[in-house]
Amino acid sequence: MPVPELPPLDLPDQPKLAQNITHFARALRKAGLPIGPGRVVDAVQAVVAAGFTSRTDFYWALHACFVTKPEHRVIFAQVFRLYWRDPRFLEHMMAMLLPAVRGVQEEKPAKPGEKRAAEALLDGTQPDPEHIETEEGTEVEFDATLTMSAEERLRTLDFEQMSTDEVARAKRILAQLSLPVKPNQSRRLIAAARGPRPDWRRTLRDAARQGGDIQTMARAKRRIRWPNLVVICDISGSMSQYSRIILHFLHAVSNSKGAGWAKVHGFTFGTRLTNITRHLAQRDVDAALAAAGAEAQDWEGGTRIGECLHQFNRDWSRRVMGQGAVVLLITDGLDRDDPKELSREMQRLQLSARRLIWLNPLLRWEGFAPKAQGIRVMLPHVDSFRAGHSIASLEELAQVISNPDDLGEKARLMGLL
Amino acid sequence: MRQTETIEQVQALLAEQGYVCGRALAVVVFLALRLGRPLFLEGEAGVGKTEIAKALAAGLNRRLIRLQCYEGLDASSAVYEWNFPAQMVAIRTAEAAGGADRGALKAELFSDEFLIERPLLQAMRPDENGSPVLLIDELDRTDEPFEAFLLEALSDFQVTIPELGTIKAPEPPIVILTSNRTREVHDALKRRCLYHWVDYPDFQRELEILQARAPAASAQLSREVVAFVQALRTEDLFKKPGVAETIDWANCLLALDVIDLSPEVIADTLGAILKYQDDITKLQGSEAKRILDQAKSSLDAP
């Protein structure tokens, strides 16, 4: 774009600088920063404008052009330090690293594919669901106690009691499940023939076309906006069987287009909090969960709910809960840490969410009573308390998730406190 | 007009307006002016992102146009709106006069006379002092459709009004966008801007800022205030105090005629630096004293 009263900024005749910056940009790109060629041109111009007088200026000029996220600042600093000390040094390092990196990368994408291939090969021994149903259907004739269809039985079966085969089928059903949500009213307006508000701008524009006669009043209504969903899932030892299946469910929800949610953010926690949103975006569920599993280092360990919620509240809540988000907290609530901290963090979480729904697989036991310390502390702060141990319970959740009056089991259990 | 040919000149210009900035920020501001690029500033609340636009406008003697973003901000409140009541009156008058000529009326109704200019359009208009400074504040508060709309405005510095055609800025305005990062702004918009993360300043710089902004405070009090706030930022708080809070607090202490920080004074005025009840309760009792002692000992150390 033209900059008045200043001489035009051309790329320097001496191509050494441009070349060096291009190589630097490539190094950054390898390190994971999203940098296109346009940014490189900007950077060269910026460096020419800022001059070479000091290393700091040079650093910040490149920084302004290449960094777009606070997380990238550290990476930038590291690459800058390595690269501009001695470019050959970095090249050397890269060359040394390359075989190792390549080995890892080649292995990674192959995994889900392999799994799929193996499944395809196993097809002969593992019949598809319809096939099983007909088989069990014939069985029903012999045994009158099995009056439920296999599918129905599977729906109410506890995830923990499922065989590997049943888990596989449950996963198939879950992949088709969605969490339909009601939209919120936005403050924006959209043209609508029978809208409640007059649209003056359009009315007069139409009138001008008719030579100044207002024939019909153009109207508008409020646009709708979809809320965000934040899922925080416990992956500690006591939850292991559930969390694996719930993550399948989460993957289905975050990839179902048109179900409503503007954005689905996924977090896992055991002893520390991990954001797995980016991994869930992968289409292949096995690849997505493998990547998420690699990121979260605390599978099947202990739980520190209060500490992890604190991390969430401090680092993420303001970034993901901005516009009327619904929070699904999936945990058994068995926590031995300081109850005061847990209570405080739960309160903070509820205050910043539009709705906080707690799914607790322990609720499947008939005589469940809120006796554990963690549960007693957390219960008063949730908007709704529901079971989450079977497909049926997740389907119930789908029915009530946009009902603001739904309390689940909370009212009954609060009476027991 | 002030010269902004070098980075030092930019730094001096901002310093004259009472804005103390580090070399890093001076470099990006200089580049934004020199390359005519929008400047995208991100950082925690109260680190002086909005202030820089004000200081820049005052220093360059340009007009400051501020567009405060909020959810549901749309073109009619950001760019332009037609003055409908006046248009209606014009139509009725033309009808009463009898000669409602269609073409003439249309040309008259959609002319500058009936146009209400909102901040983005105002910024495209030439100004006698040179192109204005356009501050698009708290961009993260608006929604994605508005961001997409800004793309055209910020990359070509033009806006399109169907009835009038495209209005292009003769001289691109100096654009500063700020975000508190309550959500991630799209890369397409960031890509068109120069990016800078405004961090909390270190002790020395914050002291300079405080002395520039609250010159009435004694050197001893300023040092204690800054040391205490710096120590507070290392604590595990929900919302860490920004520079704005430091300045506010110093002014509060001045109004109360405090010469020396004590745990009691801190307990009374904590509301000026901490804005969440959780954080305030955390700091009641011996905790404030501990941090104060820590701050004072760090002052004595060097």
Side-chain angles (χ1 to χ4, degrees), chain A residues 192-265:
Chain A
R194 285 185 183 72
R197 294 168 179 231
D199 186 345
W200 292 107
R201 181 186 281 217
R202 212 151 50 85
T203 305
L204 274 153
R205 207 160 51 220
D206 293 347
R209 285 199 196 108
Q210 310 290 331
D213 276 349
I214 296 179
Q215 290 179 340
T216 50
M217 172 77 89
R219 310 197 70 90
K221 66 174 182 188
R222 284 171 83 175
R223 197 186 280 264
I224 52 170
R225 188 169 57 72
W226 300 96
N228 290 351
L229 177 70
V230 179
V231 181
I232 308 175
C233 183
D234 188 343
I235 53 167
S236 62
S238 54
M239 289 281 294
S240 63
Q241 189 66 12
Y242 299 105
S243 49
R244 275 168 207 283
I245 292 190
I246 294 274
L247 286 183
H248 265 266
F249 176 58
L250 181 54
H251 180 264
V253 171
S254 48
N255 284 285
S256 67
K257 296 275 172 273
W261 303 101
K263 273 196 188 123
V264 180
H265 296 278

Side-chain angles (χ1 to χ4, degrees), chain A residues 10 67 320 382:
Chain A
D10 284 321
V67 177
V320 300
V382 297

Side-chain angles (χ1 to χ4, degrees), chain B residues 91-278:
Chain B
I91 293 174
R92 291 286 160 236
T93 323
E95 273 176 0
D101 174 34
R102 211 175 136 157
L105 189 64
K106 189 172 177 179
E108 194 200 321
L109 279 184
F110 294 102
S111 61
D112 280 352
E113 193 189 337
F114 295 101
L115 189 67
I116 303 172
E117 297 190 354
R118 305 276 195 221
L120 270 182
L121 185 56
Q122 284 170 17
M124 303 293 165
R125 300 291 195 190
D127 198 275
E128 72 246 47
N129 294 330
S131 59
V133 176
L134 172 64
L135 168 65
I136 302 176
D137 211 7
E138 304 192 2
L139 183 65
D140 50 338
R141 280 178 186 264
T142 169
D143 44 11
E144 274 140 14
F146 185 72
E147 256 174 53
F149 173 80
L150 273 184
L151 289 180
E152 187 205 0
L154 292 188
S155 54
D156 301 332
F157 296 106
Q158 64 179 35
V159 291
T160 307
I161 301 176
E163 296 87 355
L164 289 182
T166 303
I167 295 176
K168 194 164 168 49
E171 192 186 346
I174 301 163
V175 185
I176 295 186
L177 300 102
T178 75
S179 158
N180 283 335
R181 214 173 177 224
T182 56
R183 72 183 174 81
E184 216 60 77
V185 173
H186 199 275
D187 269 348
L189 185 64
K190 283 183 172 176
R191 204 174 57 72
R192 285 165 172 78
C193 310
L194 295 169
Y195 176 87
H196 189 71
W197 173 265
V198 188
D199 223 334
Y200 295 116
D202 58 12
F203 178 81
Q204 210 52 44
R205 176 134 303 124
E206 190 160 12
L207 192 60
E208 284 174 39
I209 296 171
L210 189 60
Q211 277 162 353
R213 282 310 173 97
S218 70
Q220 177 60 24
L221 182 67
S222 305
R223 284 166 62 82
E224 281 180 8
V225 164
V226 172
F228 184 79
V229 174
Q230 293 264 342
L232 209 53
R233 284 198 197 118
T234 60
E235 295 295 311
D236 186 20
L237 295 174
F238 186 66
K239 171 74 186 77
K240 293 179 179 150
V243 184
E245 275 81 22
T246 314
I247 298 168
D248 276 354
W249 192 38
N251 285 329
C252 285
L253 296 175
L254 278 177
L256 294 172
D257 289 329
V258 174
I259 318 164
D260 191 38
L261 276 186
S262 67
E264 296 77 46
V265 172
I266 291 174
D268 292 344
T269 53
L270 213 49
I273 28 175
L274 296 176
K275 307 293 166 75
Y276 280 88
Q277 184 54 31
D278 310 3

Side-chain angles (χ1 to χ4, degrees), chain A residues 59 63 67 69-80:
Chain A
Y59 178 90
H63 185 277
V67 177
K69 279 186 183 161
E71 299 91 277
H72 294 158
R73 288 180 298 161
V74 186
I75 305 172
F76 178 86
Q78 288 291 356
V79 178
F80 184 91

Side-chain angles (χ1 to χ4, degrees), chain A residues 119-182:
Chain A
E119 272 171 19
L121 288 176
L122 278 171
D123 254 3
T125 54
Q126 203 177 23
D128 55 43
E130 290 88 346
H131 195 58
I132 295 176
E133 267 171 48
T134 51
E135 259 183 14
E136 287 185 13
T138 49
E139 216 174 294
V140 171
E141 287 176 27
F142 291 99
D143 190 346
T145 54
L146 265 179
T147 40
M148 281 196 282
S149 80
E151 176 122 336
E152 254 174 80
R153 197 179 76 86
L154 193 66
R155 272 173 203 281
T156 50
L157 196 61
D158 193 326
F159 290 139
E160 208 161 48
Q161 295 160 359
M162 285 180 182
S163 66
T164 346
D165 178 41
E166 282 166 333
V167 166
R169 278 157 53 205
K171 282 177 183 168
R172 280 199 201 113
I173 297 175
L174 280 179
Q176 270 143 45
L177 210 60
S178 64
L179 280 181
V181 64
K182 279 199 197 120

Side-chain angles (χ1 to χ4, degrees), chain A residues 370 379 409-417:
Chain A
L379 193 58
E409 300 280 311
K410 188 188 171 189
R412 180 173 70 82
L413 293 171
M414 282 300 282
L416 293 176
L417 267 185

